[in-house]
Amino acid sequence: MEPFKVDLGYLRAMQEKPVIEAYTKPVAVCHAKDVREHEMKEFEFIHGRKVLIAKYGGQIHALGNTCTHYDAPLHTGVLGNGRIRCPWHGACFNIETGDIEECPGLDSLPCYKVEVERGGLVMVQAKLKDLESTRRLKTMAKRDPENPLTYVLVGGGPSSQVCAETLRKEGFTGRIVIVCKESYLPYDRSRISRRFDLKFDDIQYRPQQFYDEHNIEVFVNSKAIEANVEEKLVIMKDDKRLFYDKMYIATGSSPKQIPIKGFNYHNVFTMRNFDDWRRLKKAIGKNTPVICVGSSFLAMEIAQAIKTYMPCSVTVVSRAKIPMQKKFGLKIGERILKMYKEKMITMMMETAVLEVIGNDLGVTHVRLNDNRQLPCKVLIIAAGIKFNTKFLVGCGLPINANGSIDADLYLQSIVDDVYVGGDIANAPVYSDYNHRSNIGHIQVAQNHGYVAGVNMHGSRKIEVRSVPYYTTTLFNVTLRCSGFGLFKDVIIEGDLEKLNFVAYYIDSQDRVISVVSSNRDPIVSQFAEFRNQGRILRRYELVDLNKPWVNRLKGPIKCH
C-alpha cells in the first residue's frame, strides 16, 4: 500500500481561501433621494440598531452610526474628502471601509453592504459579527516566529499603544515590545485630571488578553535608563537589555520641579500618572484645604475635579493674570475665571507660592510672595513640564536644549531606524504650515503613533498631517479647540457669557490658525477638516454670512 501523501498545495490553498461570512437579510433603511450628495443621515436598521448613511461622489455608504471613541453621533459630524470626522474629538474614519484614519480612539467602524434597488430603496446588510459591537478591530497580522525583526517602543502611553497596533494592522509579523516605566498597561492619562470617580478599567486601552492574542509584549516597571543608537540597544533599570531593528521613542513628559522651599513635604503632589491620582484622591477629605499651583489646563482641570468630587476648600494660586490666557486669549480666560469664582473656587491670580510650611505629618501652610500664609493640607503643583529624554543623553541621538528631539514629516529622527512621537517630538505641524513644535495633547500623541507605525513598517509612507485637536471639560462646560500657532487677535461670535460661542484666532497675516467653541458642535471639527484639506480661512471670510466658510468643505480646493 502506498503511503498517504499530503497535498501541501491544496492545504495552503484551503488556508488562504477566504472565509465566507454570514450576513443579515437585506433591510430597506431609506430611499436614495432621502440623502443628498455630501450629506450624512441616521436611519433605523435592525435589532434596535441604527445605521449611518452617507452619500459621497454619487455613491451611498452605510457604516456604524457612533464614533468608536466616545460614542458621538456621527451624523452630526463632518463629511470630508472620503472620510467622516467625529463632531466631538475629531477622530476620522474612511467612508468606504470604516477604518480609523485619525485618532483619538483605537477601533474602526463596522462597514455594511449597500445595494440601491431600481426603485431607489437603499438595502443594507451587515455581517452578523458586526452586530455584536458598535466597534470593529481592523485585521491584525499574526506574529511569525521566523521573522527575526524586533521593534522596540519606548514609553507606555497612548502614542506607543497606537504605534504597536498600527504595526500589526499594517502587516508587521516581527516582535513588538513596549517598554513602560509604570506598573500598568497603557491607559488614557488625560482623564485622571478631570474626574475622581474612575476605575482603572475605565481608562485602560486594552486588557492583557489583547496583548497576548496579538503578540505585543509590554514590559511594565521597566524604565529605560540608557540607549545606544549605534549598537541599537536599550537598557532598562533592571539591567535588562533589548536590541532593536527599529525604535520608536514616545516617553512623554514629567512635572517640572519648581523653586519652592519645602517642596518635599508629605501631601505635596504632582499629577502625571494613575498612582498620583490614587494618592491624591486618598488625601482629599471633606474639610481638607486644597491649593493648586498654576492655571494651565492641568491645574484648572484638577481644581474643578476636586471641587466636584468633594465639598472642600479649593484655592488656585497662579503667577498669571488670567487663567489659560496664552491658549484662549483674554476674554475667554476672564470668562473661565468668573466661572471658577461662581463655583466657589478661590482664584489668587498674579500670586506665587514661595514656601511650603509643615511638620512631621506633612504640609500645613503655604507662604505667598506677599508674606501671607494660607492653611493647606493638600498642595498640588501643576506648573510646567520637562521632557523624559534624559536617558538618551550620549546615545548618539541629537537632543534639543529643551529636551525635545527633532523629527521630520515621517516622524523619523536624524538617526536611521529611530522614530519619535508625542510630547518629546519637535515635529512639523501641518496646519501650522509645517513649523516644528512640541504639542502635549493625547490626540497628537496618538496620531504620531499611527504615522510612525505606518512608516516603520514601510509598505507605504505617510506624512504627519492631522490637525491638533483637544478638548477640556470644566464644570460640565466643554471647550473644543482645533488648530495651532501664535495668534494676534481673537474674533468671538455668539454669547460668551452664556458659554455658547465660537472664537477664531487670527495670526499676523490675517489667517485663522485655530478655532475654539462651546456648545457649537461641529464647528471645531469642521475647521479641523478644513485645514487638513489644505484650505486657508482668512479674517474677511468670517463676516460674509451669505457665503459661510464651512460650505467650502464641499467644493474644490482653491489656491490662496
Side-chain angles (χ1 to χ4, degrees):
M1 180 182 291
E2 292 187 11
F4 178 74
K5 294 182 179 180
V6 178
D7 188 338
L8 296 178
Y10 173 77
L11 285 180
R12 189 177 295 112
M14 290 300 293
Q15 290 173 347
E16 295 175 354
K17 188 176 180 180
V19 177
I20 298 176
E21 298 188 89
Y23 280 80
T24 63
K25 292 181 179 180
V27 176
V29 298
C30 66
H31 193 280
K33 292 182 179 179
D34 291 337
V35 184
R36 294 173 296 178
E37 175 64 25
H38 219 94
E39 184 180 43
M40 300 184 292
K41 284 187 178 181
E42 191 178 67
F43 296 94
E44 296 293 333
F45 180 37
I46 191 172
H47 301 319
R49 297 280 290 273
K50 294 184 178 181
V51 64
L52 181 73
I53 300 295
K55 185 178 288 186
Y56 179 78
Q59 297 292 316
I60 291 179
H61 304 271
L63 305 103
N65 66 312
T66 58
C67 180
T68 61
H69 181 228
Y70 272 104
D71 297 321
L74 289 176
H75 73 282
T76 65
V78 184
L79 180 54
N81 280 347
R83 61 186 193 170
I84 297 162
R85 186 181 288 270
C86 169
W88 291 356
H89 303 100
C92 294
F93 305 91
N94 186 288
I95 195 171
E96 294 187 356
T97 65
D99 290 347
I100 187 167
E101 294 184 338
E102 275 198 33
C103 303
L106 300 171
D107 295 315
S108 298
L109 295 173
C111 187
Y112 306 132
K113 187 183 292 186
V114 179
E115 184 175 339
V116 181
E117 293 187 341
R118 282 189 176 182
L121 283 179
V122 177
M123 310 299 292
V124 175
Q125 287 180 276
K127 296 176 184 176
L128 291 179
K129 68 175 185 179
D130 283 344
L131 294 179
E132 298 172 4
S133 174
T134 57
R135 306 174 184 196
R136 175 179 60 85
L137 180 65
K138 188 177 177 182
T139 302
M140 300 177 77
K142 296 184 181 299
R143 172 80 169 94
D144 181 358
E146 296 183 3
N147 186 335
L149 296 177
T150 296
Y151 289 0
V152 173
L153 319 179
V154 186
S159 204
S160 289
Q161 174 70 33
V162 172
C163 184
E165 293 196 26
T166 301
L167 284 167
R168 285 284 184 253
K169 290 172 184 176
E170 288 292 303
F172 180 65
T173 60
R175 185 185 182 198
I176 300 174
V177 181
I178 299 176
V179 177
C180 181
K181 71 178 180 181
E182 291 188 58
S183 57
Y184 306 100
L185 294 172
Y187 62 94
D188 184 352
R189 291 188 183 92
S190 68
R191 296 180 65 188
I192 62 176
S193 62
R194 300 175 185 177
R195 292 173 55 186
F196 279 95
D197 60 347
L198 298 168
K199 296 179 181 178
F200 188 72
D201 288 349
D202 297 331
I203 60 175
Q204 182 173 285
Y205 287 125
R206 303 290 194 188
Q208 182 64 54
Q209 179 184 353
F210 175 89
Y211 301 97
D212 294 340
E213 182 179 348
H214 300 290
N215 291 109
I216 297 171
E217 300 172 56
V218 183
F219 290 1
V220 295
N221 289 315
S222 297
K223 182 180 179 180
I225 60 171
E226 191 177 339
N228 187 315
V229 297
E230 289 188 6
E231 297 182 16
K232 292 193 169 184
L233 171 67
V234 177
I235 303 173
M236 287 161 281
K237 64 178 181 181
D238 54 1
D239 204 36
K240 185 181 291 183
R241 293 166 180 254
L242 272 173
F243 287 94
Y244 64 84
D245 293 281
K246 291 184 181 180
M247 175 170 63
Y248 180 57
I249 309 171
T251 43
S253 54
S254 299
K256 185 186 294 183
Q257 293 261 344
I258 59 176
I260 295 178
K261 185 179 178 182
F263 184 84
N264 294 323
Y265 270 112
H266 180 63
N267 278 0
V268 177
F269 298 88
T270 56
M271 176 72 89
R272 205 63 186 174
N273 57 47
F274 188 69
D275 283 339
D276 295 336
W277 179 89
R278 285 199 310 180
R279 288 193 294 267
L280 179 56
K281 181 179 179 180
K282 187 176 180 180
I284 299 169
K286 187 174 181 179
N287 297 312
T288 305
V290 177
I291 294 178
C292 296
V293 177
S295 57
S296 63
F297 276 98
L298 184 63
M300 300 297 281
E301 287 176 351
I302 293 170
Q304 68 85 33
I306 293 172
K307 194 67 176 178
T308 303
Y309 169 69
M310 185 68 66
C312 59
S313 165
V314 179
T315 300
V316 171
V317 178
S318 174
R319 293 179 180 272
K321 184 177 181 180
I322 300 294
M324 298 179 170
Q325 184 174 350
K326 287 186 178 179
K327 291 288 185 182
F328 289 153
L330 179 63
K331 291 184 178 180
I332 296 177
E334 288 176 337
R335 182 63 185 89
I336 292 171
L337 179 62
K338 180 182 177 183
M339 179 204 305
Y340 272 58
K341 289 179 178 179
E342 291 170 345
K343 297 295 184 179
M344 305 305 291
I345 290 181
T346 302
M347 302 295 293
M348 303 187 70
M349 309 306 293
E350 298 183 278
T351 307
V353 173
L354 295 186
E355 183 180 2
V356 182
I357 302 166
N359 54 35
D360 293 342
L361 297 178
V363 58
T364 60
H365 294 78
V366 297
R367 183 171 65 87
L368 306 179
N369 56 343
D370 58 6
N371 281 325
R372 279 184 295 171
Q373 289 192 14
L374 300 180
C376 178
K377 291 295 179 65
V378 170
L379 178 64
I380 303 159
I381 310 295
I385 60 168
K386 60 182 179 180
F387 299 123
N388 296 329
T389 54
K390 188 176 179 180
F391 77 102
L392 295 169
V393 173
C395 76
L397 182 67
I399 302 175
N400 296 324
N402 68 349
S404 66
I405 301 170
D406 287 345
D408 64 14
L409 285 166
Y410 310 102
L411 293 179
Q412 189 162 14
S413 73
I414 198 171
V415 176
D416 287 344
D417 298 329
V418 176
Y419 295 75
V420 293
D423 294 14
I424 69 166
N426 188 39
V429 181
Y430 174 77
S431 64
D432 193 31
Y433 309 97
N434 281 332
H435 295 143
R436 279 182 171 151
S437 295
N438 298 99
I439 300 177
H441 296 304
I442 187 172
Q443 178 259 6
V444 172
Q446 287 186 313
N447 282 308
H448 280 180
Y450 173 73
V451 172
V454 170
N455 292 326
M456 288 170 74
H457 181 250
S459 59
R460 59 192 178 112
K461 203 169 184 179
I462 62 173
E463 297 180 354
V464 176
R465 195 181 176 95
S466 63
V467 178
Y469 197 122
Y470 60 90
T471 64
T472 187
T473 300
L474 309 172
F475 293 109
N476 294 321
V477 175
T478 299
L479 297 168
R480 308 193 193 284
C481 177
S482 64
F484 185 78
L486 296 174
F487 63 90
K488 297 291 185 182
D489 192 16
V490 184
I491 297 174
I492 298 177
E493 182 266 311
D495 194 329
L496 179 57
E497 180 61 27
K498 293 182 179 179
L499 293 165
N500 188 324
F501 69 90
V502 56
Y504 297 93
Y505 293 76
I506 315 294
D507 70 6
S508 58
Q509 298 184 49
D510 273 355
R511 302 174 298 194
V512 178
I513 52 135
S514 59
V515 171
V516 170
S517 81
S518 176
N519 291 305
R520 294 290 296 272
D521 296 337
I523 198 161
V524 167
S525 289
Q526 288 171 322
F527 181 74
E529 185 62 28
F530 194 88
R531 291 296 295 123
N532 183 269
Q533 293 177 12
R535 302 172 192 266
I536 298 174
L537 180 61
R538 299 187 184 275
R539 181 195 293 267
Y540 71 86
E541 294 174 285
L542 301 177
V543 298
D544 190 348
L545 299 179
N546 294 319
K547 296 180 180 179
W549 65 267
V550 295
N551 288 348
R552 288 172 55 200
L553 283 167
K554 303 176 183 179
I557 297 177
K558 298 178 181 179
C559 296
H560 290 265

